[in-house]
Every structure is written in C-alpha cells, then in structure tokens.
Amino acid sequence: MNKRILILCLGLFCGHAMLYAQQNFQNVTVSMGISGQTGLGHAVGWGDIDDDGDPDLGLSNQEGDGFWFYLNEENHFTNITASGGLSGLGGNKIIIAEVTGDDYNDLILRTRSGTQYLFESNGNGTFNNITTSAGITSASVYNIADFDNDGYTDLLSVSNDNFSILYNNGDATFQPAQIISPYESFWGVAVLDYDRDGFMDIYHTTYSNQPNMLLHNNGDGTFTNTTLQAGVQYSDGAHAIDVGDFNNDGWIDIYLGSYSSLNCSLFKNNGDGTFTDVAGTTGTSGHHDTRTVAFIDYNNDGWLDIFSSHHDFYSYSNTMLRNNGDYTFTGVAVQLGLSGEWIGDYFGQGWADYNLDGAIDLFAAGHIDKYRLFKNTNCPGSFLNIQLIGIESNTNGIGAQVDVWVSGQRISRNVLPDGGFHDNSDLKLHFGLDGAYSADSIIIYWPSGIVQKLFGINANQFLTIVEDETTGLGEEANIENTDITVYPNPVISTADIQYTIYSIQYTNLVVYDSFGRKIETLVEKIQEPGTYTVTFDTEGLPAGVYFYKLMVGEQVEMRKIIKQ
C-alpha cells in the first residue's frame, strides 16, 4: 500500500447568505440521476470506491431481486451496476470498506437469501468477485472491525446461529473462528470499544422478545458477555441500533430503537465500563416500532442528533431529535422536511456529504417513498470533514477516536460502520464546529495505539490524515529554515521564545496544553524582518507538557515546553 501525505483541501462553506434561510432536506433523487428502482426500498451503503473523494452509493430492494450501484460524479450519479459487474444481485446488508490490502474500498454484499459476496474494487468503477478465493462463501457478514489489532479489517459473521469472526490474513483471504452462539432472532450488530481498552467489542440487538447482548473483547480471541455488568440489558426486540458520543465526553454511547412494547434506550457511557439509560430524562424515549436510527450532526453545531424512522408512518413517520447540548433533545423533523404524509417507514439509511458542501446528507430506502436522496440545504455553521488512512492501523482507521478541540470544548467522533441491519454510512468523519473559524487541535487515537496531533486547523476543510507516529503526542515537528529557541526549558515561571524572520510576514505564535487546547496567543500580527523575543508566563499553570506553534507565512514550527 502506498503511503500518502497529509492533504488539506479547502472545502465549501454554507455561505453567510444561507445562514438566515430555513434549513431543510430537499428531495434531489431524480435530479441527481438516481431512478429506475423497482420494489420496496431496503438497504443503503455509502463509500468511495474509486478514491476520488466523492462517496459512491449502493442500494437494494426488499424483494431481493434488485441491487443498484451508483458512481458519484460530482454533479450527478451514474448507474454502473452492469458495467461494474454487479448485475443480478440483491442486498440485505451493504458495506463499503477496504479489506483486500490495496488503496480502494471494496464492496461487501449480503443478499436477502443469505448468499455472501466480496467484490474487490479495481478503482475504476469495476469490481472482481473474489468471494470464493477469499474463503467467505459460507459467511453472513453483519459488520466489520479489526478485532485482533493486526492492522487488517476482519469480518463479523452470523451463520447457522454461530457468531464468528473471519480474521483477515492481509492477502485478501480470511480465516474463520467461532466466538459465541447468539440467539436465533439476532438482528443488528454494532462494533465499539466501549471501555477504551484498545479492543473492539460487540453489541447486538434482537428481532423478537429475546434480550440483547454486549460482548467484551478480551484481546486474546475470546469474548465475555458483560451485558448485566455494564447495565445495557434490553429484554425485548430492538430493531435499530447506533453508537456515538452524544455528550462529547470521549466515551461511546449506545442508542436502541424499540421494536417492542419497551421504550427506546439511550445508554450513556459512564467511562468506568458501565452505562446509564438516560432516555427518559433526555427526551429520547422515542416510539415502539422503530426501523432504523442514526447519530448524526445534521446542523453543524458539534452535537450528535438522533434520526429515526418508524413503521407507523401515519402517526409520526420519521423523527429528528436535535441535541441541545445540555442533555435534552427537541423534535425538529417536520420543519426540516423529513417527516410528514407519505414520508418514511425506512428500512435502511446512510449518511454522507455526497456533494462536498460541508453539510451531511441522507439516502433513505423504505416502503413509502421507497428511494430518496435528501440534500441538506441551508446548513448553518462551520465544519471539518476528516478521512483517516491507517498505516499501522487498518486502512480505514476503523476503531479510531478523533477529538477536535474548539475553544476548550471537545467534539468527539469515532470511525465505526453502522450497526443497523440495513444501514451503512460513509466512513469519513463529519465535525460541525458551530460557526468557529478554526479548531485548536485535532487528536487522533489510532487503533495501533499511536496518538497523533495537529494544531491550529482552519475550519471548512476536507482533510485526509495519514497515520504517522512522528507527529504523535510529545513529538516535535521540525520545519527547515526557521530560527527559533526557547529558554529556559524546562521552565519554572517564565520562558523566553526567540525567533527570527527574514521578510515581512504575518506571524502567529500560540501555546497549547497537552490535550491540544489553546492556552494563549502570544503573537498575531504582520511583522518586519528581524529577531523577536516573546515571554511566556507559566505562573498558575499546572506542571506538565505544553506546545508552542509558530507560523511565519506558510512555515510552521511546533515545539514542546516542559513546565516544572
């Protein structure tokens, strides 16, 4: 695999003229070239299969005789089902991710009849069926993750009531290993590292009146049922599931959509291996016939909202619960155009910024409006869109946690495939920055254990970040032709930072703490050529490691200061 460089591409901003318009989701399905589907909508999958930066789209019908794949070509989608070698298929679960050891995301397709396919992407809109050679013909893949942390993405399979992991050998072949026998009514599967021990755990839902199960990954190929100890028991059908950090505390939470007489559950992660159901106090108890749910920041305010679709479309269709950032949620689906007469009953959904405008969009498939691409229009706020490329970790960075710090506030996201039975969103991470012009820092906690930091990132960008231990925690980033010293270091009370510039330049000197939070801006102005000394006063700061970042024109220097 080729090692790529960090790419910073300026994104498009939802302009000031739009900030005062009503945000809504507009049906652009036909105008974007998506048409001709038959039957009832079923599964959805987003992912970039040709590495051009645009997420492509797969979808299927419930009857099992229809699967379509569309290539995203910026201003329209092109149906490449036949030309790509994907004709005559169906789809119950569509996953798009890199599992064959090259630079392109592959297509993992489970049909409604139970037949499993693995299509390797050639990067040009065509695929090779490598199911047999990969050794997964008897599998039934529900989700993916690197369960043994060897840098390759594994497949999680349920077949003949056996729960198995097909371990990726790194050469487009897989070795199965049974881990547990689940219930026969097994339904959705979410993968998450709920206790942040570095290993991916499993939470699965059921379709009937059997309880759900949380399986803790012990890191040695075995899993332990920790449902009761963790406090995430749910004793009846939960058709829908998604995981995400709704309160931005750095710990992954769980939302279950009820398909029984029980209410929905929002399990808040307490950070000690246990959870608390806060659905009743947060206003997220939902309804009793939920098909699919998703954590998503639809309005770029930095907080994960909850979208749900329901079978009782006559009463409440879809719901969008806006996260108010104070442990309360407000229903806003109707004013967004996501709920109403003859809208909803979606079996599958997927979220992606398909047109790269900084607003996250929705494709939904179901029984009423069947196939619909919703464009998120008049989206407020600013954003960052981040794609991770693993080197020591798996290529897509599945399992990574990314924290973006803005003015002392953490916005935490995780690279995780959707856990819903028919859902698959783009693996790129979308961060709403609530109108901020920049982020103080980005911290990536890779599955390999590498911690990587970037400082002072402007908003409204699409970033591709390659795993690199040389820019990790506590490392220095050295840029040639920059004269800068700091004395004394370690420092007790004050340190003098001296630097030289050689032409008239805009100069910016900022100090950050070890979490990437901005402590103080020491210089921010245009300066003449010369040598300058700035004093950094550390009185009142706790002992530890700090960083200063000097930007002179386009040159950047980052060094650490140790406070004793």
Side-chain angles (χ1 to χ4, degrees), residues 13-22 378:
F13 180 41
C14 301
H16 294 292
M18 292 184 176
L19 293 177
Y20 304 100
Q22 173 64 45
N378 301 330

Side-chain angles (χ1 to χ4, degrees), residues 335-516:
Q335 52 263 50
L336 289 173
L338 287 173
S339 186
E341 187 175 1
W342 298 107
I343 298 177
D345 196 18
Y346 298 134
F347 277 60
Q349 64 170 320
W351 294 82
D353 185 358
Y354 79 87
N355 57 349
L356 305 184
D357 66 349
I360 201 76
D361 310 296
L362 166 66
F363 195 96
H367 282 187
I368 306 306
D369 38 357
K370 297 183 180 178
Y371 307 95
R372 182 165 288 191
L373 176 60
F374 288 100
K375 177 185 176 183
N376 188 345
T377 64
N378 301 330
C379 179
S382 49
F383 73 94
L384 285 173
N385 187 290
I386 298 177
Q387 176 184 1
L388 297 186
I389 298 178
I391 301 300
E392 297 297 324
S393 303
N394 64 86
T395 301
N396 296 119
I398 293 171
Q401 177 171 316
V402 180
D403 290 349
V404 172
W405 288 88
V406 180
S407 300
Q409 172 66 52
R410 171 173 35 206
I411 306 171
S412 187
R413 300 288 181 264
N414 302 84
V415 183
L416 297 171
D418 290 344
F421 197 57
H422 308 295
D423 310 328
N424 192 72
S425 298
D426 191 9
L427 288 173
K428 298 184 183 72
L429 295 178
H430 184 85
F431 292 83
L433 302 185
D434 200 26
Y437 291 107
S438 63
D440 298 340
S441 65
I442 300 173
I443 306 177
I444 305 105
Y445 300 91
W446 292 92
S448 64
I450 291 173
V451 180
Q452 187 172 349
K453 286 190 173 186
L454 302 171
F455 291 87
I457 305 297
N458 291 332
N460 304 323
Q461 296 192 76
F462 290 84
L463 310 179
T464 297
I465 302 178
V466 178
E467 184 175 17
D468 186 356
E469 61 185 346
T470 64
T471 57
L473 182 64
E475 297 290 336
E476 300 179 1
N478 299 309
I479 307 298
E480 293 181 358
N481 302 321
T482 304
D483 296 334
I484 186 167
T485 58
V486 58
Y487 182 83
N489 192 14
V491 58
I492 297 175
S493 57
T494 62
D496 288 336
I497 303 173
Q498 185 178 87
Y499 60 93
T500 301
I501 62 175
Y502 300 98
S503 61
I504 298 177
Q505 295 278 11
Y506 173 80
T507 306
N508 183 251
L509 179 60
V510 182
V511 178
Y512 300 88
D513 68 10
S514 62
F515 290 99

